Structures are given as C-alpha cells and as structure tokens.
Amino acid sequence: QVQLVESGGGLAQPGGSLRLSCAAAGSPFINDWSWYRQAPGDQREMVAKITRDGRRTYSDSVKGRFTISTDSAKNTAYLHMNSLKPADAAVYYCNVHVPTTTGRPLEVWGQGTLVTVSS
C-alpha cells in the first residue's frame, strides 16, 4: 500500500553535509515521518521525527546539526545533515506511520541508505 524509497546517502568528509530523501508512494495520509540509523554492531536509534502538526524531535547526538523537513507536494521527507562526524556513519532508514481503517496505524520502513563519513 505504501512504499518508501530512500536516496542521498554517500561519502562525506568530517564537517561536511549530506541531504537524505524519503519519497512515499501510495497513501497521501501519513501521520509522522522519522529517520533512524544503525551502525554495524549497534542498535537502531531514532535521530529525527516530524509529526503531522509540524512538531520536530531530535536525538541529543544530532541536535543543532540535523534538520528534518517534508515537502507535501512531493510527499517526501528530507534529512539535512551538517557538520558530519565519523560517529554519524550508519545506514539511515526512513519510517512512517499510516492510518488504517482498523484504527491501528501501519508502520512502514524504507530500504535504507548508507552514509559514510571519512577523511
């Protein structure tokens, strides 16, 4: 019903910037958008979230450096990453919640996009 396609990952130098994209195909009704990341051997962690009313939440490790945003016309979310650190290297996953007729929101994940930070 809903499919998320991620793009924008790649190689950045420490202190550099990248912009990740998450395009949603399917339902136009999305309750919230989130970005998660997972490095090898680590647990998956939430780094940014934006709700339908525009409220944004960030993990302490990325506050002041990352910005989550959405483009309603394109049904796409973005993660602008600035001042990148080696600790930011991970696979980044887009996540959304979609309302259903049963009342229980459906959770959908993107395929992941790899971010590498190295000199």
Side-chain angles (χ1 to χ4, degrees):
Q1 184 177 3
V2 178
Q3 188 174 22
L4 304 179
V5 180
E6 299 181 35
S7 62
L11 175 64
Q13 293 185 340
S17 300
L18 286 173
R19 187 185 73 167
L20 308 183
S21 298
C22 176
S27 175
F29 303 103
I30 295 177
N31 291 337
D32 54 72
W33 305 75
S34 296
W35 287 96
Y36 288 74
R37 68 185 182 188
Q38 187 169 26
D42 293 339
Q43 299 183 56
R44 186 173 298 187
E45 65 169 336
M46 193 276 289
V47 297
K49 177 181 179 179
I50 184 168
T51 61
R52 189 164 50 185
D53 63 1
R55 182 173 296 181
R56 293 174 170 86
T57 304
Y58 300 96
S59 67
D60 290 339
S61 61
V62 308
K63 282 183 179 178
R65 300 188 298 117
F66 291 10
T67 302
I68 186 171
S69 63
T70 59
D71 184 328
S72 298
K74 297 182 178 180
N75 210 25
T76 299
Y78 304 94
L79 185 67
H80 293 81
M81 305 185 296
N82 298 317
S83 302
L84 284 163
K85 306 174 180 179
D88 296 320
V91 177
Y92 284 73
Y93 297 92
C94 182
N95 170 272
V96 302
H97 290 101
V98 181
T100 70
T101 57
T102 67
R104 185 178 181 87
L106 177 66
E107 188 174 67
V108 183
W109 291 89
Q111 84 281 6
T113 184
L114 177 63
V115 171
T116 302
V117 184
S118 176
S119 299

